[in-house]
Amino acid sequence: MKLKYFLPLLFYISVPIIGSGTELDPYRADVPALLLKIPGLVVNAQIPSNPDGTPKFSDTYIWIPDRLLPPGLTAIPNTTARAAIKARDPKADPDGMEKTK
Amino acid sequence: MNDEFNRADSIDLGSNWDSGYDSFPSCAISGNVAQVQAQSDVCIETWNANTFTNNQWAQVTLVTFAPAGTDIGRIALSLHATGPGPTRTMYVVKARHGDPTASTNMFKIVADVQTTLATENSITWVSGDILYFEISGTTLTAKRNGVTVFTATDSDLASGRIGLEIDEGGSDLTLTQADSFSGGDLATVGRHRTGPMAFQ
């Protein structure tokens, strides 16, 4: 058993933001293909916007509940990610991201 | 508030609703339910008869949600929406039927620029399902039939209206219909309801 791929029940990863802001190509987290293969995956991302709707940052933190971290991806410790989310938006509530399912 | 759309057929939801978002037409009432006016339309309206606090909710019954074949239908709720104008600014949760890209999405739309805050692709929305959306502080929550689908956090849009969007991408506009729209302040009795509210 490859224990190095097992982590606690949740984790964050940092990914780029892609898209152009249109309905067919909204700004969104560039979720790694490995994660997209997980059945039933829910992805939520913190993406603060400028007044014109464009993202304030070029990357985002996404939270993956109750999953195993696929090989090749690096998890960010929860405390680190939550602090970064609050730094980017003091009003943001990381608990709000982690209530999913 | 609660709107069962039980009134005469119309090409508008009525005086308690506002259309006029960008180039999107108003929604129609047909047979006491809400739907688009014509095939392949996307209609958007928001409720203007009440002002709700920033912690607000809305829900709608997907009374008919069965687009034929490969047709795509979408029914969405909006919160913290601005009034009508040349662009849209609002949070949106969208239930999708027949859409290979996702089953449920949560968007932030700022001056027509769209950002996906949450997405999933495992739910099969069917006729009779209830779509629910709430904002509490900076936590945005979408539910299906009372069960959380996903949550997200965002603080960019602080307040605004509640509203409805219907997107019929197929050949039969009567196969994507909404009914029993309700909403209000989160503190009010009646939140997280799973059926229509009855007034006496």
Side-chain angles (χ1 to χ4, degrees):
Chain A
M1 181 181 296
K2 297 180 179 179
L3 287 176
K4 64 180 181 179
Y5 298 140
F6 283 76
L7 287 174
L9 290 177
L10 52 88
F11 59 88
Y12 285 90
I13 61 173
S14 176
V15 299
I17 294 173
I18 58 174
S20 59
T22 64
E23 181 165 359
L24 295 178
D25 186 30
Y27 292 117
R28 62 195 183 278
D30 186 8
V31 181
L34 283 171
L35 288 179
L36 291 176
K37 293 179 180 177
I38 298 175
L41 178 72
V42 172
V43 174
N44 54 19
Q46 182 217 23
I47 306 180
S49 300
N50 294 306
D52 65 358
T54 57
K56 286 183 177 177
F57 305 95
S58 60
D59 64 339
T60 180
Y61 295 93
I62 61 174
W63 179 74
I64 311 298
D66 301 334
R67 305 294 179 191
L68 301 179
L69 182 64
L73 297 179
T74 302
I76 298 172
N78 272 19
T79 52
T80 303
R82 291 170 64 93
I85 288 171
K86 294 291 287 185
R88 290 182 168 196
D89 180 359
K91 294 180 181 177
D93 180 8
D95 287 342
M97 296 181 70
E98 298 173 7
K99 289 179 180 174
T100 295
K101 293 189 173 178
Chain B
M1 58 73 54
N2 182 60
D3 193 340
E4 298 291 335
F5 307 117
N6 290 337
R7 48 191 177 270
D9 288 0
S10 171
I11 59 168
D12 187 77
L13 296 184
S15 60
N16 289 335
W17 293 84
D18 282 333
S19 58
Y21 287 88
D22 201 344
S23 58
F24 295 98
S26 59
C27 299
I29 293 177
S30 178
N32 297 326
V33 297
Q35 64 182 42
V36 294
Q37 294 185 40
Q39 291 178 8
S40 300
D41 259 359
V42 179
C43 70
I44 298 174
E45 299 212 37
T46 57
W47 182 259
N48 63 33
N50 302 87
T51 299
F52 299 114
T53 63
N54 298 345
N55 293 331
Q56 57 186 227
W57 63 275
Q59 77 174 28
V60 70
T61 299
L62 317 183
V63 64
T64 308
F65 203 51
T70 57
D71 291 349
I72 296 174
R74 307 177 186 94
I75 295 178
L77 294 168
S78 56
L79 297 177
H80 287 193
T82 56
T87 62
R88 290 169 293 157
T89 293
M90 57 184 67
Y91 291 114
V92 176
V93 159
K94 192 171 291 189
R96 298 164 176 260
H97 189 291
D99 189 338
T101 62
S103 298
T104 321
N105 290 106
M106 182 184 292
F107 294 101
K108 170 176 55 181
I109 305 175
V110 178
D112 275 348
V113 177
Q114 301 202 20
T115 299
T116 303
L117 299 177
T119 186
E120 66 82 29
N121 200 15
S122 62
I123 289 176
T124 301
W125 292 88
V126 298
S127 299
D129 278 350
I130 296 174
L131 174 64
Y132 173 90
F133 187 19
E134 74 168 37
I135 296 178
S136 177
T138 59
T139 299
L140 295 75
T141 303
K143 297 183 180 182
R144 176 198 185 213
N145 299 332
V147 178
T148 297
V149 174
F150 46 52
T151 62
T153 183
D154 195 85
S155 69
D156 287 334
L157 311 180
S159 62
R161 301 179 176 197
I162 67 176
L164 175 66
E165 174 181 328
I166 303 173
D167 179 348
E168 193 281 322
S171 56
D172 187 343
L173 55 86
T174 66
L175 296 179
T176 302
Q177 296 175 317
D179 199 7
S180 302
F181 179 95
S182 55
D185 300 328
L186 269 181
T188 59
V189 175
R191 61 180 290 199
H192 299 178
R193 289 181 295 107
T194 56
M197 179 185 295
F199 289 104
Q200 298 181 359

